[in-house]
Amino acid sequence: MKIALMDSGIGLLAATAAVRRLRPDADLVLSLDPDGMPWGPRTPQDLTERALAVAEAAAARRPDALIVGCNTATVHALTALRARFEPDLPVIGTVPAIKPAAAGGGPLAIWATPATTGSTYQRTLIRDFADGVPVTEVPCWGLAEAVEHADEAAIDAAVSAAAALTPDEVTTVVLGCTHYELVAERIRTAVRRPGRPPLVLHGSAGAVAAQALRRLGEQPAPWATPLGTLTVLLSGREGTLPAPALAYDEGRLLQAVTPAG
């Protein structure tokens, strides 16, 4: 089994690590776009063109499924990606975990990029899945960029700024950008309030990995022999994991995976 994941940068690490843990026997193809990143500031049409090019590079390696490991690319490019590749290649998007977070009933915050915060897309998810639940949308200025470059000081500053915008009564935080899952514990520490219940964080990586297996009719097998290989494509060129990836547990997990021959 071969599973490809795509993103402009290292935001796909969380979903990739989740796939690796569920199926250590699966070959992995990571298709990044260092030549075109970041995708966030691009127009929807431009972003879609970049996403299609990155997906084409991944598809050339003949994967069994393609995960769009980026919330922004899912919003703008998922329809075009599915039109291009399905049904031959299942395409799985990444959606913020608002539905399971709202099921807890407590006040929740959605940490997302400034472009996503307040967007019609996010507001629709809130309306559909969190009706009646107090929701605060928190724009996280510069956090995705800081995580992408493993800039420790910038990460701390961005997390602190977003935590200051998060109401004290919030019990649940939705990580609405895949980059944020790489610093989840920092976010938990920053938002935790003395005397309040433990903070619940909801990311998308585990659900996306599980959905990819379901689309393939496969089951998790975390005990499988870890013989799966790793291929990294950088704007279509074969390469290695970007250095900042190794600042995170998820990147170090993948560094140990045998490169594809």
Side-chain angles (χ1 to χ4, degrees):
M1 179 169 56
K2 182 183 290 186
I3 295 179
L5 299 96
M6 57 171 283
D7 191 0
S8 62
I10 64 173
L12 51 62
L13 286 179
T16 307
V19 172
R20 178 67 179 175
R21 293 185 182 107
L22 288 178
R23 288 300 297 257
D25 57 336
D27 293 332
L28 301 172
V29 178
L30 307 190
S31 190
L32 287 69
D33 188 25
D35 294 355
M37 67 177 298
W39 283 351
R42 293 181 176 273
T43 65
Q45 179 180 352
D46 191 19
L47 188 156
T48 298
E49 290 173 358
R50 299 298 308 190
L52 283 168
V54 167
E56 290 282 4
R61 301 303 174 112
R62 303 183 65 81
D64 299 300
L66 173 64
I67 292 173
V68 184
C70 172
N71 295 92
T72 303
T74 297
V75 171
H76 296 297
L78 185 62
T79 299
L81 289 166
R82 284 182 167 162
R84 168 66 183 83
F85 295 106
E86 291 192 341
D88 295 334
L89 177 62
V91 180
I92 297 93
T94 298
V95 177
I98 294 172
K99 184 177 181 179
L108 66 90
I110 304 170
W111 284 33
T113 63
T116 300
T117 300
S119 66
T120 300
Y121 168 75
Q122 184 160 291
R123 291 281 168 85
T124 299
L125 292 174
I126 294 169
R127 182 196 67 209
D128 291 347
F129 300 122
D131 187 35
V133 177
V135 176
T136 301
E137 296 180 86
V138 177
C140 301
W141 296 95
L143 181 53
E145 294 80 3
V147 172
E148 178 69 33
H149 297 100
D151 185 330
E152 298 291 327
I155 292 170
D156 287 343
V159 168
S160 295
L165 299 175
T166 303
D168 288 349
E169 64 270 17
V170 161
T171 59
T172 304
V173 172
V174 175
L175 303 178
C177 170
T178 53
H179 281 81
Y180 302 170
E181 296 190 50
L182 301 178
V183 291
E185 290 310 309
R186 293 199 204 190
I187 292 171
R188 188 191 306 277
T189 299
V191 178
R192 183 182 293 133
R193 305 290 191 245
R196 300 290 298 174
L199 185 73
V200 178
L201 298 180
H202 283 271
S204 302
V208 166
Q211 175 66 5
L213 294 183
R214 282 194 293 270
R215 289 288 303 272
L216 294 175
E218 297 281 353
Q219 296 294 323
W223 57 84
T225 304
L227 296 178
T229 62
L230 177 68
T231 300
V232 178
L233 304 174
L234 305 174
S235 298
R237 307 177 299 272
E238 192 157 342
T240 58
L241 284 172
L246 305 182
Y248 305 104
D249 290 342
E250 293 85 350
R252 291 190 289 271
L253 172 68
L254 298 173
Q255 185 184 33
V257 180
T258 303

